[in-house]
């Protein structure tokens, strides 16, 4: 439904910039970023050259999970502004030829959504079946949560945020399902009335002129009949193998496509939990569900430990290139990749995959080179273009994120974290809040983000790392990103060219070719602070070439053996 992988479309040629509004720019001094704050920065976005903004949720919400718990789908939260402000944002973006993609969160709502308020009133409520309610069950084993008569939750599924995926509700003496926080009850997609509500809501936003949706955890909306226990201990969370890519998922997404999206030139990107390449093609391939592309997280799991995400393991360059290459090849003929190394749920990429100390600038540029020269649509998360880093948490009091707080508490209970320092080490490495500290606009005490106390602390490195300074410095990560944007506009081969991995076994260098007819580009990335030699494979050695971009002073008129400098990135265009 989306056409072959080589077919042109605007969303393949676009660079998407992700805005987490709470942390972007505060216009009214309440310490919380807002929509007029984004409007103030429209020229900034325009100058960076990005094509699409993906806006994280701005709807009315009690903020148990910063807007991913929506209380009213057709509103703008007062703390972010008004619907008029939002209209002004959309118009301002469109004036600058920038598209707007909104976040669609329909696996769950807030427990304060009126549907859920009604649903929990009584088992006879018209809205009862909008959610997933079950009676508890008798069990003889000890431990775990219990209802008033000692009964256990309806099954053993766990929440992504730690603890059981069920909460007992006294009013009707039943349990409701929540794969995320207890304030995020899962919608019942089996109910056609729920689906109809959602499709109408999507049409309502499209009617306002938006350009697409980013679909939150969209591959978990279909739950299997009988809600069987989870069995696979290796699953991302217990029960996942039951509800990830559930039995009716493709039916639901095709219905959504036919009912809402067909015939509209919009972009959709599905956030997909635990997705394989084969499954991805079923969503985004030519015979798929009509979705433009999907986010997969395989490469962001390489550093998980034996206990999963809230445990730390080691990743290697070979694994990283192996995993990403697997996806590049898997969607080469059918489907399209979205390329991302961080977002609002992940630590900062320069701290995770680069070097946020001595080679921060070089490694941030190298990672940007990677995301802009792979085959797929690049996603830039706010502040990435400045090389913003993780936050040096000194106390759990500085943490705001429900995922971090609950998972750290669970890990302590399980005995996996024993000391305060162990907890803080893990938080500094893994917490979602690393990405959520305020955007650093200037060196001021509050980084130019707000005039008052920000909702989350500002990174103390704001004096060194901020937009004002970056824009005044021709050698900054920011200016390098601008050039990357231009390169992708100028050279189709960087968008549509085939990807071929070179030197697959190399431990430090990631090199690949991009080819489209006669056009050829060669990307060479030194992933570390060593000085490895790059010996071009025979087919490139000595070929005439132009060095399109490099994060060091360099000149070349041919591809030749070279000793690479720490975190050096080079992109050649073959001219012979
Ligand atoms: O995230 C989905 C998801 O799988 C997360 O739980 C992820 O495991 C975690 O954030 C660490 O990466 C989406 C949103 O992006 C996230 O912000 C929401 O909290 C979540 O859905 C629930 O809506």
């Amino acid at each position: 439904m989306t056409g072959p992988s080589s077919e042109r479309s605007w969303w393949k040629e676009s660079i998407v910039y992700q805005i987490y509004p709470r942390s972007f720019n505060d216009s009214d001094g309440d310490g919380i970023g807002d929509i007029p704050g984004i409007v103030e920065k429209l020229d900034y976005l325009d100058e960076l050259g990005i094509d699409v903004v993906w806006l994280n949720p701005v709807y009315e919400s009690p903020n148990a999970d910063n807007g991913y718990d929506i209380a009213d789908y057709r509103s703008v939260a007062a703390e972010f502004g008004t619907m008029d402000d939002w209209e002004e944002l959309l118009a301002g973006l469109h004036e600058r030829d920038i598209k707007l993609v909104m976040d669609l969160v329909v696996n769950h709502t807030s427990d304060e959504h009126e549907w859920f308020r009604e649903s929990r009133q009584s088992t006879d409520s018209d809205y009862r079946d909008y959610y997933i309610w079950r009676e508890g069950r008798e069990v003889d084993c000890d431990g775990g949560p219990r209802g008033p008569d000692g009964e256990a939750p309806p099954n053993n599924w766990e929440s992504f945020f730690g603890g059981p995926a069920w909460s007992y509700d006294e009013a009707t003496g039943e349990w409701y399902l929540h794969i995320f926080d207890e304030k995020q009850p899962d919608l019942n997609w089996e109910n056609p009335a729920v689906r109809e509500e959602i499709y109408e809501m999507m049409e309502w936003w499209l009617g306002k002129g938006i350009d697409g949706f980013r679909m939150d955890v969209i591959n978990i909306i279909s739950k299997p009949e009988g809600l069987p226990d989870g069995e696979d201990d290796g699953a991302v969370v217990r029960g996942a193998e039951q509800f990830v890519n559930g039995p009716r998922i493709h039916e639901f997404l095709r219905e959504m496509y036919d009912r809402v999206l067909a015939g509209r030139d919009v972009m959709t990107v599905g956030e997909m939990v635990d997705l394989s390449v084969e499954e991805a093609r079923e969503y985004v391939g030519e015979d798929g569900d009509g979705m433009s592309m999907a986010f997969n997280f395989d490469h962001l799991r390489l550093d998980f430990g034996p206990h999963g995400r809230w445990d730390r393991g080691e990743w290697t360059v070979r694994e990283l290139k192996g995993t990403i290459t697997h996806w590049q090849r898997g969607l080469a003929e059918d489907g399209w990749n979205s390329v991302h190394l961080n977002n609002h749920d992940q630590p900062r990429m320069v701290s995770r995959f680069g070097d946020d100390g001595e080679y921060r600038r070089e490694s941030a540029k190298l990672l940007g080179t990677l995301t802009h020269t792979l085959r797929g649509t690049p996603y830039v998360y706010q502040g990435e273009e400045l090389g913003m880093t993780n936050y040096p948490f000194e106390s759990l009091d500085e943490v705001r994120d429900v995922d971090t707080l609950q998972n750290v508490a669970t890990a302590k209970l399980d005995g996996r974290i024993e000391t305060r320092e162990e907890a803080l080490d893990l938080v500094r490495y893994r917490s979602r809040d690393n990405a959520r500290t305020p955007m650093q606009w200037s060196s001021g005490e509050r980084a130019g983000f707000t005039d008052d106390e920000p909702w989350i602390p500002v990174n103390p490195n704001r004096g060194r790392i901020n937009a004002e300074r970056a824009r005044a410095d021709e050698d900054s990560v920011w200016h390098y990103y601008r050039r990357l944007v231009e390169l992708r506009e100028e050279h189709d081969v960087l968008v549509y060219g085939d990807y071929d991995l070179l030197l697959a076994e190399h431990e430090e260098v990631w090199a690949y070719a991009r080819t489209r007819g006669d056009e050829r580009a060669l990307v060479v990335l030194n992933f570390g602070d060593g000085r490895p030699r790059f010996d071009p494979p025979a087919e490139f050695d000595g070929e005439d070439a132009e060095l399109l971009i490099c994060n060091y002073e360099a000149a070349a008129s041919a591809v030749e053996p070279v000793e690479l400098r720490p975190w050096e990135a080079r992109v050649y265009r073959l001219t012979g």
Side-chain angles (χ1 to χ4, degrees), residues 317-333:
V317 176
R318 277 182 59 178
E319 283 170 342
L320 184 65
K321 59 181 172 177
T323 305
I324 291 184
T325 297
H326 174 68
W327 279 87
Q328 291 281 302
R329 288 179 182 151
L331 300 185
E333 304 295 328

Side-chain angles (χ1 to χ4, degrees), residues 225-247:
E225 212 180 309
L227 309 177
D229 274 341
E231 276 164 20
D232 179 4
D233 281 342
V236 275
V237 69
R238 205 200 290 137
E241 81 278 12
Q242 302 290 354
F243 58 76
V244 168
N245 309 317

Side-chain angles (χ1 to χ4, degrees), residues 435-452:
R436 299 177 180 186
T437 62
M439 177 76 178
Q440 290 159 216
W441 295 106
S442 67
S443 60
E445 192 194 343
R446 292 162 183 138
F449 164 72
T450 181
D451 294 334
D452 203 344

Side-chain angles (χ1 to χ4, degrees), residues 69-140:
D69 47 324
I70 298 174
D72 181 353
Y73 284 113
R74 302 187 193 205
S75 67
V76 167
E79 63 185 0
F80 290 139
T82 62
M83 193 57 83
D84 285 346
D85 294 331
W86 182 89
E87 302 275 1
E88 192 185 334
L89 171 64
L90 180 68
L93 286 168
H94 282 175
E95 261 165 42
R96 291 165 180 80
D97 251 341
I98 301 175
K99 296 189 156 61
L100 178 62
V101 164
M102 295 292 279
D103 220 308
L104 181 78
V105 188
V106 291
N107 175 67
H108 44 266
T109 68
S110 164
D111 65 342
E112 298 183 29
H113 194 289
E114 61 166 317
W115 300 339
F116 191 76
R117 287 179 200 265
E118 291 292 332
S119 182
R120 80 193 318 177
Q121 295 295 323
S122 92
T123 52
D124 300 331
S125 158
D126 287 347
Y127 287 89
R128 189 63 169 181
D129 287 340
Y130 270 47
Y131 296 86
I132 302 173
W133 293 95
R134 293 288 184 278
E135 289 179 353
R137 60 177 175 174
E138 304 290 326
V139 282
D140 353 305

Side-chain angles (χ1 to χ4, degrees), residues 18 20 54 56-57 65-69 103 105 107-108 160-161 179-181 184 214 216-217 220 236 271-274 297 304 309-310 343-347 401-403 430 432 436:
Q18 183 191 347
Y20 193 70
W54 152 27
N56 283 106
D65 185 20
N66 286 1
Y68 280 94
D69 47 324
D103 220 308
V105 188
N107 175 67
H108 44 266
F160 273 95
F161 295 160
I179 306 271
F180 292 90
D181 188 61
Q184 293 168 295
R214 175 268 186 190
D216 192 60
V217 290
I220 70 167
V236 275
E271 190 210 24
M272 305 268 183
V273 176
D274 214 6
F297 296 94
F304 285 14
R309 185 159 58 96
W310 284 91
N343 63 31
H344 66 294
D345 292 334
Q346 302 288 338
D401 173 32
V402 57
D403 171 48
R430 184 74 76 204
R432 307 196 295 184
R436 299 177 180 186

